[in-house]
Amino acid sequence: MLRLAGARLLDERDGQAVRAVLTADPVASCMVAARVETAGLDPWRLGGEMWGCDVRGLRGPGRLEALCFAGPNLIPLRGKRSALRAFADRALRRRRMCSSMVGPAEQVLGLWAELEAEWGPAREVRADQPLMSISTAPLVAPDPGVRQVRPEELDRYLPAAVRMFIEEVGIDPRIGDGGAGYRARVAELIAAGRAFARFEGGDVVFKAEIGAMSGSVGQIQGVWVHPDRRGHGLGAGGTAAVVRRLVSGMGRTASLYVNGYNAPARAVYDRIGFTQVGQYATVLF
């Protein structure tokens, strides 16, 4: 007989089991795998806690059946209803610290159903977000004008990043600390060579970043085209340039997730050669 144990805090002794879960679906797990590969499972270095649920038999060791990262975002990666209920019980023991829940739609929406009564209402629930990837050369010619942003260009790049964030998330990232935290995060991406843009006349007309990056997958985020230049192919060519950098330059699969209602963006990604490999959902607080 098998039974599911309650959610527990994982540590380095669980490293092999955690990595087995992450490598089973590397695209869906990219955001968490990138942290674990760099920091291990120590909460202080990881920037959050890794929770797991084990299935145990009457004899012998158990196996890791469910996994959830609890940090700046709450990211449930695997687990059926009983495991999601166990994760919710653990989350409700403390004040909500995360700004969103994001990950595979089945787990995110199932966990939200357990948490909504205490944590709700959400600012927005995005239940339909196709998760897409490409591991070959893009089908659209990359824009040769798109390049890595240099550290000294931070002040030219940052206004476009802020505008993208407001359009995508619905809040101004400068609220609270005057933008210091967001500026630092953008500067870190630039310093790592993971921010890309096309500049025209001193202005950014296209931008995108490689956010989470594991050993096998890089997740593209923050794709934005200046409103005056939309409909002219900059999004397709610019995103293709980032895909080429990831696939050919870094030896990784390129991935992203997109709101299901954003038909123009989905059409662009289809043209580039992305295929849907999963379904994400996001709950914004």
Side-chain angles (χ1 to χ4, degrees), residues 78-143:
R78 176 186 286 187
K80 299 300 183 182
R81 185 174 180 180
S82 57
L84 297 176
R85 186 177 299 116
F87 290 147
D89 289 343
R90 191 172 185 101
L92 291 171
R93 294 176 197 165
R94 61 184 187 178
R95 181 173 60 90
R96 178 178 64 80
M97 304 293 290
C98 59
S99 61
S100 71
M101 293 172 52
V102 61
E106 179 183 352
Q107 283 69 41
V108 167
L109 298 177
L111 182 54
W112 178 236
E114 300 290 339
L115 292 171
E116 185 175 9
E118 295 292 330
W119 281 12
R123 184 164 57 84
E124 185 178 356
V125 177
R126 300 178 178 179
D128 176 19
Q129 295 181 307
L131 177 67
M132 312 182 80
S133 73
I134 179 173
S135 56
T136 59
L139 302 180
V140 171
D143 183 349

Side-chain angles (χ1 to χ4, degrees), residues 56-73:
R56 300 188 183 280
L58 293 178
R59 300 180 181 85
R63 68 176 187 272
L64 191 61
E65 183 69 12
L67 192 65
C68 181
F69 172 72
N73 302 305

Side-chain angles (χ1 to χ4, degrees), residues 16-274:
Q16 183 175 355
V18 169
R19 289 172 177 84
V21 173
L22 298 176
T23 56
D25 192 345
V27 176
S29 301
C30 176
M31 286 186 284
V32 176
R35 287 178 173 268
V36 172
E37 290 173 10
T38 301
L41 293 174
D42 175 74
W44 187 83
R45 296 183 63 235
L46 187 62
E49 295 181 346
M50 193 72 74
W51 302 340
C53 292
D54 305 298
V55 169
R56 300 188 183 280
L58 293 178
R59 300 180 181 85
R63 68 176 187 272
L64 191 61
E65 183 69 12
L67 192 65
C68 181
F69 172 72
N73 302 305
L74 190 60
I75 309 176
L77 288 176
R78 176 186 286 187
K80 299 300 183 182
R81 185 174 180 180
S82 57
L84 297 176
R85 186 177 299 116
F87 290 147
D89 289 343
R90 191 172 185 101
L92 291 171
R93 294 176 197 165
R94 61 184 187 178
R95 181 173 60 90
R96 178 178 64 80
M97 304 293 290
C98 59
S99 61
S100 71
M101 293 172 52
V102 61
E106 179 183 352
Q107 283 69 41
V108 167
L109 298 177
L111 182 54
W112 178 236
E114 300 290 339
L115 292 171
E116 185 175 9
E118 295 292 330
W119 281 12
R123 184 164 57 84
E124 185 178 356
V125 177
R126 300 178 178 179
D128 176 19
Q129 295 181 307
L131 177 67
M132 312 182 80
S133 73
I134 179 173
S135 56
T136 59
L139 302 180
V140 171
D143 183 349
V146 171
R147 59 171 175 80
Q148 289 178 317
V149 181
R150 297 186 288 266
E152 63 270 20
E153 294 173 319
L154 172 60
D155 287 331
R156 294 172 61 195
Y157 181 82
L158 190 60
V162 169
R163 292 181 69 176
M164 177 281 304
F165 194 97
I166 293 172
E167 287 184 20
E168 175 63 24
V169 182
I171 59 174
D172 191 326
R174 297 167 295 187
I175 293 174
D177 64 357
Y182 187 67
R183 179 186 178 91
R185 289 194 294 275
V186 173
E188 184 178 358
L189 286 170
I190 292 175
R194 287 157 55 179
F196 299 82
R198 178 185 178 98
F199 293 91
E200 291 183 359
D203 295 326
V204 173
V205 295
F206 168 86
K207 68 163 289 293
E209 296 138 7
I210 301 170
M213 188 162 68
S214 70
S216 59
V217 179
Q219 190 174 85
I220 299 173
Q221 66 179 31
V223 178
W224 181 84
V225 176
H226 193 287
D228 294 342
R229 299 298 307 277
R230 292 173 186 173
H232 295 83
L234 291 181
T239 305
V242 183
V243 168
R244 180 175 63 181
R245 175 61 178 161
L246 269 169
V247 173
S248 299
M250 299 181 177
R252 288 169 169 82
T253 293
S255 76
L256 53 79
Y257 59 100
V258 58
N259 291 316
Y261 58 75
N262 192 344
R266 293 187 64 180
V268 167
Y269 300 143
D270 287 342
R271 285 175 51 211
I272 292 169
F274 281 91

